[in-house]
Amino acid sequence: MNIGQRIDRSYGELTPQEQRVADFILDHLSDLAVYNASELARLSGVSKATVSRLFRRLGFQDSAEVRDHARTLRSHGAPVGGPGASAGTPSRLAAHFAGEQENLRLLLQNLEDGRLDAAARLIAHAGNVVVIGLRNSYPLALHLRQQLAQTCQSVRLAPLPGQSIGEDLAGLGPNDVAVLFGFRRRTAGFGQLVAAIERRGIPLVLIADSSARKHADGAAVWLECPIDSASAFDSYATAMSLINLLATGVMGANVRETRTRIAAITQVYEDLDELEAPW
């Protein structure tokens, strides 16, 4: 169990002083990786001995082990933070902005070798495109599918709600493409999914953070996208930027066909009166 779960389980058995420390920890989980016992004692208004006693009751040897535990949780994508994190303060906003800038810098650095164009060409010339996303990757897959639908004749999302993926992979082959999002906290069967796509000879565009590098060998194109954040949750702003770049690249690879399709889609919008007028 993580430290928050350990506190919740034993909170009623803690002394009032220990509860003060526990409350502070729960409200500042995103900062726990940088606090030592003395700092926690000062900030929560108790003695250092109280902090040390609480850590031992929670199953930790000392504050160093607690800091390591907090860093491990964050690196695995677990939300770490609480209502006391003060997300809207100037210092927090500045840290968030700096983190987003760094993620974008790393993304662009990863794309300098031409792999983005390679992925765009694969998708643009594929007979069928299946965009796959599970858990927190599903909204990203949904958004990419929506963008690609403007340019590609045959693009679908998998899995549909309540459905499995097998039906969407059956019948695909070397002339098709699977775009798979695999950001951290993936399902246990993610590696099996990559292997199944590879066995069937389906070119794979894998989009994920660095924790998925072990799966990259099975991909025709590997697009690494950093999602680290100074806040409690991973940030997918860089992933959305990558989707924008990838969809734009696909559009540019088939300009004439894309313009024809967009014109046809626009006409259907008008026929069905689907979109709000821009004025």
Side-chain angles (χ1 to χ4, degrees):
M1 292 189 293
N2 64 44
I3 189 169
Q5 292 170 321
R6 298 185 196 192
I7 289 174
D8 289 340
R9 185 181 64 174
S10 58
Y11 190 85
E13 302 170 3
L14 302 179
T15 67
Q17 291 293 89
E18 290 170 344
Q19 287 179 348
R20 289 185 64 177
V21 186
D23 290 338
F24 182 86
I25 289 173
L26 291 175
D27 286 344
H28 298 82
L29 279 172
S30 58
D31 299 319
L32 192 57
V34 298
Y35 288 143
N36 59 34
S38 297
E39 290 168 327
L40 283 173
R42 176 177 58 82
L43 291 168
S44 55
V46 301
S47 68
K48 182 179 177 180
T50 298
V51 174
S52 299
R53 186 167 59 250
L54 172 64
F55 287 162
R56 288 193 296 271
R57 291 188 64 156
L58 297 176
F60 299 101
Q61 292 184 352
D62 50 33
S63 62
E65 185 177 357
V66 172
R67 290 198 300 272
D68 288 342
H69 173 73
R71 282 191 288 266
T72 298
L73 284 176
R74 195 64 196 86
S75 68
H76 289 171
V80 179
S86 304
T89 62
S91 61
R92 289 283 184 176
L93 293 174
H96 179 80
F97 180 65
E100 296 298 323
Q101 285 184 307
E102 177 63 10
N103 282 348
L104 282 170
R105 186 191 69 79
L106 291 172
L107 171 66
L108 297 179
Q109 179 179 296
N110 292 338
L111 301 178
E112 288 177 350
D113 61 359
R115 63 183 63 200
L116 178 63
D117 289 337
R121 287 193 299 269
L122 268 177
I123 295 170
H125 299 119
N128 297 282
V129 180
V130 177
V131 185
I132 305 170
L134 302 169
R135 301 194 75 249
N136 51 328
S137 291
Y138 191 83
L140 299 170
L142 178 63
H143 184 60
L144 177 60
R145 183 266 163 197
Q146 177 62 22
Q147 301 309 302
L148 293 181
Q150 308 297 311
T151 63
C152 300
Q153 291 288 347
S154 180
V155 55
R156 59 184 187 267
L157 177 71
L160 293 176
Q163 302 300 308
S164 55
I165 297 178
E167 298 88 342
D168 293 291
L169 294 183
L172 297 183
N175 296 322
D176 305 304
V177 168
V179 182
L180 174 61
F181 287 88
F183 287 97
R184 59 195 179 195
R185 308 199 88 187
R186 295 174 291 275
T187 58
F190 187 84
Q192 292 174 292
L193 175 57
V194 173
I197 293 171
E198 186 179 12
R199 282 196 305 271
R200 284 158 179 78
I202 307 167
L204 172 64
V205 176
L206 178 59
I207 303 174
D209 63 282
S210 60
S211 69
R213 286 176 184 167
K214 60 186 177 181
H215 302 294
D217 288 344
V221 182
W222 158 237
L223 299 176
E224 183 174 319
C225 183
I227 56 173
D228 291 333
S229 173
S231 61
F233 296 91
D234 288 335
S235 173
Y236 294 93
T238 308
M240 293 297 282
S241 290
L242 177 56
I243 288 171
N244 182 301
L245 292 171
L246 181 57
T248 301
V250 173
M251 179 180 291
N254 276 325
V255 177
R256 182 171 298 176
E257 293 85 348
T258 292
R259 287 174 179 169
T260 301
R261 178 165 173 77
I262 290 176
I265 292 171
T266 301
Q267 184 60 57
V268 175
Y269 285 159
E270 293 176 1
D271 292 346
L272 298 178
D273 195 23
E274 285 192 313
L275 301 182
E276 181 183 54
W279 53 81

